[in-house]
Amino acid sequence: MESDYRQRGSKAAAFTDEQLQSAVDEALELGRQAASKGTVATYIPELGKARPEAVGLYIVTDDGRKCKAGDTGIHFTMQSVSKVISLAMALEVRGADEVFRHVGMEPSGEAFNSIVELDFQRNMPYNPMINSGAITVESLIIDYKPFDDMLDFARKICMDPEITLNRQVYLSEMATCDRNRAIAYLLKSKGVITTNVDHSIELYTKMCSINVTAHSLANLGLLLANGGIDPLTKERLIKPETAKIIKTIMLTCGMYDGSGQYAVEVGIPTKSGVGGGLLAVAGTDMGIGSYGPALDEKGNSYAGKVMLKYLVDKLKLHIFD
Ligand code: GLN
């Protein structure tokens, strides 16, 4: 049964190395053109130093193939892509029932840092992929996993021992994150979070400031594609249920208020961050990571979206294709 399922979800196996590499090269070309339409985030001052024209794309497959193009050596901070890692840890240590008692699983249709609907419409965050939801998730793990454990977990599930904290970005965001603090205090006033607000904000901001490359994100995509097992070592790193929930929430909520259109046009589980990263999952055997810090008006990488759309069309990756 399991092997049938895996074969049905197999995407990469149908393509030769050359076909995959040329799809990546062509996507990069389009990504480079698209980058000029976006702008780098500056509300976290340190992020404003990124080169808007930088673009990189990385694919890894479960049979060990790697295809890359462009600026794949650049380190950048995960920002909201880290919400996937925090959610994974929360599901592993607290279980899905407990997590979803504190945070919903519905798309919000609002900006990632929205605060209004939290006060007026609901008494808990819409989902774990927006700031209010992720701050809530951090509050659920903080007494179980200090940041050093989270960093180790990130290194493990991204299969990248070189992942570190970017201290400049962390300090820059800590100095400017009044809105996130406001969200956290509102959550505390409603009893959604019960832990210390400062500690939850520190953990949230440190997670956002984890430095990765497009390769690290592609590796995490492959782990999720493969149901939580490292395809090379065969080691199970997260439970299959955790991988399933995360992929579903990435598909419905991973691009904030651009998630619906992205699901129609691209249609694979993807998570963005304002550092310019995209983490994407294709079928059961492919992970994709991209970098492009020039963002659209919703905070999603312009080049990343264009490259992912190209790959999906060319390789027939859309989940309903
Ligand atoms: N650290 C960022 C923030 O809280 C993350 C937002 C994002 O990547 N969309 O604003």
Side-chain angles (χ1 to χ4, degrees), residues 261-281:
Q261 185 178 354
Y262 184 86
V264 171
E265 292 177 358
V266 183
I268 56 174
T270 304
K271 182 73 201 86
S272 65
V274 291
L278 285 189
L279 152 72
V281 182

Side-chain angles (χ1 to χ4, degrees), residues 47-303:
L47 294 184
K49 296 182 179 169
R51 282 194 301 118
E53 67 281 6
V55 179
L57 181 60
Y58 214 114
I59 286 186
V60 292
T61 66
D62 70 344
D63 52 4
R65 292 188 284 167
K66 297 182 173 74
C67 299
K68 59 177 173 167
D71 302 306
T72 52
I74 293 183
H75 285 81
F76 55 92
T77 50
M78 289 188 112
Q79 299 301 328
S80 283
V81 182
S82 69
K83 293 174 166 107
V84 166
I85 298 182
S86 298
L87 178 60
M89 183 59 99
L91 291 169
E92 296 280 306
V93 299
R94 302 296 303 266
D97 289 348
E98 184 62 13
V99 169
F100 293 113
R101 251 197 290 280
H102 294 83
V103 56
M105 42 176 109
E106 300 301 335
S108 72
E110 300 288 341
F112 64 80
N113 58 359
S114 176
I115 197 167
V116 240
E117 89 285 350
L118 190 60
D119 204 22
F120 288 133
Q121 289 166 24
R122 278 168 76 102
N123 281 324
M124 69 174 180
Y126 269 86
N127 67 71
M129 299 287 119
I130 52 174
N131 292 11
S132 54
I135 293 166
T136 303
V137 166
E138 306 305 349
S139 80
L140 293 173
I141 49 186
I142 200 159
D143 290 337
Y144 298 76
K145 298 286 169 186
F147 177 68
D148 283 350
D149 289 6
M150 294 302 292
L151 198 54
D152 281 345
F153 184 57
R155 289 176 178 141
K156 213 165 143 187
I157 64 176
C158 294
M159 298 154 213
D160 180 355
E162 284 169 20
I163 282 179
T164 51
L165 172 71
N166 183 326
R167 202 158 278 285
Q168 284 85 357
V169 172
Y170 170 64
L171 295 175
S172 181
E173 184 165 356
M174 283 303 282
T176 51
C177 67
D178 297 322
R179 192 176 177 91
N180 285 339
R181 282 184 196 281
I183 289 172
Y185 277 110
L186 185 58
L187 289 166
K188 181 131 192 197
S189 77
K190 289 170 177 287
V192 177
I193 70 176
T194 51
T195 49
N196 180 292
V197 163
D198 288 333
H199 295 168
S200 299
I201 286 291
E202 275 161 26
L203 182 58
Y204 169 80
T205 311
K206 279 186 175 161
M207 291 304 295
C208 289
S209 307
I210 289 178
N211 241 5
V212 291
T213 62
H215 187 187
S216 344
L217 298 186
N219 282 344
L220 178 52
L222 179 59
L223 180 78
L224 293 169
N226 199 39
I229 297 175
D230 177 342
L232 301 180
T233 63
K234 310 285 178 232
E235 189 188 349
R236 172 164 294 290
L237 301 180
I238 55 175
K239 293 177 195 142
E241 187 65 13
T242 298
K244 186 171 99 178
I245 292 173
I246 288 174
K247 285 185 283 190
T248 312
I249 292 186
M250 283 168 68
L251 185 70
T252 53
C253 311
M255 306 293 276
Y256 320 114
D257 45 336
S259 298
Q261 185 178 354
Y262 184 86
V264 171
E265 292 177 358
V266 183
I268 56 174
T270 304
K271 182 73 201 86
S272 65
V274 291
L278 285 189
L279 152 72
V281 182
T284 55
D285 61 355
M286 193 190 290
I288 306 171
S290 73
Y291 175 59
L295 309 177
D296 69 10
E297 70 289 353
K298 297 183 195 288
N300 296 317
S301 169
Y302 223 116

